[in-house]
Amino acid sequence: MKKEIFLLCVLLGVLCSCHKTTYIIPSKDTLAFPIQGGEILDTIHTDGDWEVTLSPDWVQIDIQDSILKCVVTENKVGKKRDGIITLRGDDTQQSITITQAYICTHITPENTSLTFEKEGGTQTIGIDTDGSDIKVDVSGNFTTKYDNGKLVVEAPANNTVSSTGKIVLTCDSQVAEINVALKGLICPKCGGKGRLICTKCGGSGYVWMENDDMTYGCTKCGGGGCGYLAEYYNDNADDLRKGSGQMVCPVCNGQGN
């Protein structure tokens, strides 16, 4: 009988120890709220029961199964808020840092450039910011709409010259820029020709050597030979392979659009 009682006590001890909380790991150990407040959910990974034993008075806490829900209202205190949320289970404790901005400290687009095909369309960019009043200025033939961390950019179909524009996001002292390009049927650099006058030889096809009267074929637009120009030296001129005087458009890569 004593042996059975002993085994029962051992079994109960094992069962009790299985339910003891040994770790508490939040998915996010820092919760950063913007000025306007909002809601953040944090998944808590643990092997037992836990509770919130400490939290700032400006944070509303709600626990739903393994989810810690934190709700914060607009920051009107005139300074940045900082606090700690403490989670405890048995002898295990974990802390989560919580902050709320007072002024905008950053505006970070997930992309700083957008390119639309000539058919136009819509693209969405995520904006990481703690600002509550993001102002959007647009140059070029584009329209935008910003709402809660997402910037929607729309471009029309374009059957003319390719165009570019810029989107400028501002809040308090923070500024972010996004470059936007809209392809068209005609390249704005070469006017659809695909070629430009060579910037090295000015379209002549050859370049003069400094402090010398010898000329070389322009390597920028294709000439690789060297010698004297026949138009100046007649029969005494060496063979010279001149360049074409034109170069491939660097914008459209010779495609003209």
Side-chain angles (χ1 to χ4, degrees):
M1 185 64 178
K2 291 183 179 179
K3 183 178 181 181
E4 292 174 350
I5 293 175
F6 173 77
L7 292 176
L8 179 60
C9 291
V10 171
L11 179 59
L12 289 174
V14 171
L15 291 175
C16 290
S17 64
C18 291
H19 292 286
K20 186 175 182 179
T21 303
T22 61
Y23 66 88
I24 302 174
I25 305 174
S27 296
K28 307 169 186 175
D29 55 15
T30 299
L31 307 181
F33 284 87
I35 302 169
Q36 68 269 28
E39 172 186 302
I40 296 180
L41 302 180
D42 197 357
T43 301
I44 308 302
H45 303 279
T46 182
D47 60 350
D49 295 330
W50 57 276
E51 62 179 344
V52 175
T53 58
L54 177 67
S55 66
D57 56 8
W58 46 274
V59 181
Q60 179 183 336
I61 298 293
D62 187 24
I63 299 174
Q64 302 171 354
D65 296 326
S66 62
I67 304 298
L68 175 67
K69 177 181 176 181
C70 299
V71 178
V72 174
T73 58
E74 182 179 358
N75 185 358
K76 297 181 179 180
V77 300
K79 62 180 180 180
K80 182 181 178 182
R81 286 170 163 172
D82 295 282
I84 295 293
I85 298 174
T86 302
L87 313 179
R88 181 181 292 277
D90 294 317
D91 297 328
T92 302
Q93 180 174 298
Q94 184 60 265
S95 296
I96 299 173
T97 301
I98 184 167
T99 64
Q100 185 179 19
Y102 173 61
I103 60 172
C104 181
T105 61
H106 67 279
I107 304 175
T108 310
E110 62 182 4
N111 293 315
T112 56
S113 63
L114 289 179
T115 300
F116 290 88
E117 298 299 322
K118 61 180 181 294
E119 294 80 11
T122 301
Q123 297 188 46
T124 301
I125 300 179
I127 307 296
D128 181 16
T129 182
D130 57 2
S132 60
D133 185 19
I134 305 296
K135 296 179 176 60
V136 183
D137 293 316
V138 185
S139 65
N141 193 21
F142 307 96
T143 58
T144 61
K145 181 180 179 181
Y146 176 81
D147 182 40
N148 195 29
K150 291 192 178 296
L151 179 69
V152 179
V153 184
E154 185 174 357
N158 184 23
N159 295 322
T160 59
V161 177
S162 301
S163 64
T164 60
K166 182 173 291 186
I167 301 171
V168 180
L169 308 174
T170 59
C171 183
D172 296 322
S173 62
Q174 301 301 309
V175 180
E177 295 183 353
I178 302 172
N179 295 310
V180 189
L182 173 59
K183 295 181 179 180
L185 296 180
I186 303 174
C187 174
K189 184 75 173 179
C190 65
K193 297 178 181 179
R195 300 274 172 173
L196 298 171
I197 294 176
C198 178
T199 56
K200 184 175 181 180
C201 67
S204 66
Y206 59 85
V207 292
W208 290 93
M209 296 293 292
E210 187 177 0
N211 300 323
D212 198 351
D213 60 359
M214 179 174 285
T215 183
Y216 285 76
C218 179
T219 56
K220 191 174 184 67
C221 59
C226 62
Y228 297 97
L229 285 175
E231 59 187 279
Y232 295 110
Y233 296 98
N234 297 321
D235 294 338
N236 296 322
D238 295 331
D239 181 36
L240 170 66
R241 188 171 76 247
K242 296 172 61 176
S244 65
Q246 292 188 335
M247 55 183 286
V248 175
C249 176
V251 175
C252 66
N253 198 30
Q255 301 302 308
N257 55 41

